[in-house]
Amino acid sequence: MVSRGNKNAQLFIIGEGPGKNEDETGLPFVGRAGKLLDQILESVGLDSNKDAYISNMVKCRPPENRKPSTDEVDSCSSWLKEQLRIVDPKITLLVGATALEGVLGIKQGISKVRGSWIEKGGMLYMPIFHPSYLLRNSSRDPGKPKWLTWKDMKEVKSKLESFS
C-alpha cells in the first residue's frame, strides 16, 4: 500500500493524491508540501515517520496532476478503508478539501471546517489546510492559514496526549 510512517500510530494523515515526487518514490508527501507537513508536525513535537501513518485518497497520480475525480476516489476507497482498519488510529487528519469530501462527504470549503473535530462512525477527524496551500500563503501572522494550521496541530497534539 502506498504509505509511509508507523502502522501502529495513533495519528493517520490522509492527503489528496501523489504528485510527481510521490509518483517517483511511491511514498506520499515527500515533495515540497511533504517537507512542510513534516515541519508542521515537528513544530508540535510529532515525527511524521514515528507518530503518524500517512496515505492519500488515491494511490496513482491523476493525469496532469489534476484533482482526483470522484470515480478515481471511489476506485481507491477500499484500499484506504483497509489502511484505516489496519492502523485503527485515534485521530485522522484530513489534509485539504479533497480528503474532507472523499472521506466524510463534506463539500463545504476547507476554510469553514478546518480546525473542528468531526466524529463519524466511531472515528475522530480533524480537517486542516493542505501544505501546498500553505506554500502559496506563507504568512505566519495570527489568523492567516499557516498560523491557523499550527493552532490546529497544537489541538491535535493535545488530543493525542489525552489518549495516553
Side-chain angles (χ1 to χ4, degrees), residues 74-164:
D74 289 347
S75 70
C76 292
S77 67
S78 62
W79 290 97
L80 185 60
K81 285 176 185 169
E82 182 64 8
Q83 287 176 303
L84 283 163
R85 186 193 66 75
I86 291 168
V87 176
D88 191 27
K90 299 282 188 198
I91 297 172
T92 300
L93 275 187
L94 301 173
V95 182
T98 300
L100 176 64
E101 184 177 344
V103 174
L104 298 179
I106 297 173
K107 295 181 182 183
Q108 269 185 310
I110 192 77
S111 295
K112 293 187 190 305
V113 295
R114 58 119 295 270
S116 58
W117 291 109
I118 301 169
E119 191 169 342
K120 184 175 179 182
M123 296 187 76
L124 194 57
Y125 299 91
M126 166 77 76
I128 64 168
F129 289 123
H130 197 286
S132 62
Y133 176 74
L134 300 177
L135 287 169
R136 298 187 302 271
N137 297 275
S138 60
S139 173
R140 295 179 185 200
D141 292 342
K144 297 293 184 181
K146 269 193 173 177
W147 183 85
L148 292 169
T149 300
W150 176 70
K151 187 178 167 207
D152 296 345
M153 290 308 302
K154 284 177 42 177
E155 176 69 25
V156 168
K157 172 70 173 192
S158 176
K159 183 69 87 173
L160 284 169
E161 288 172 344
S162 77
F163 296 125
S164 300

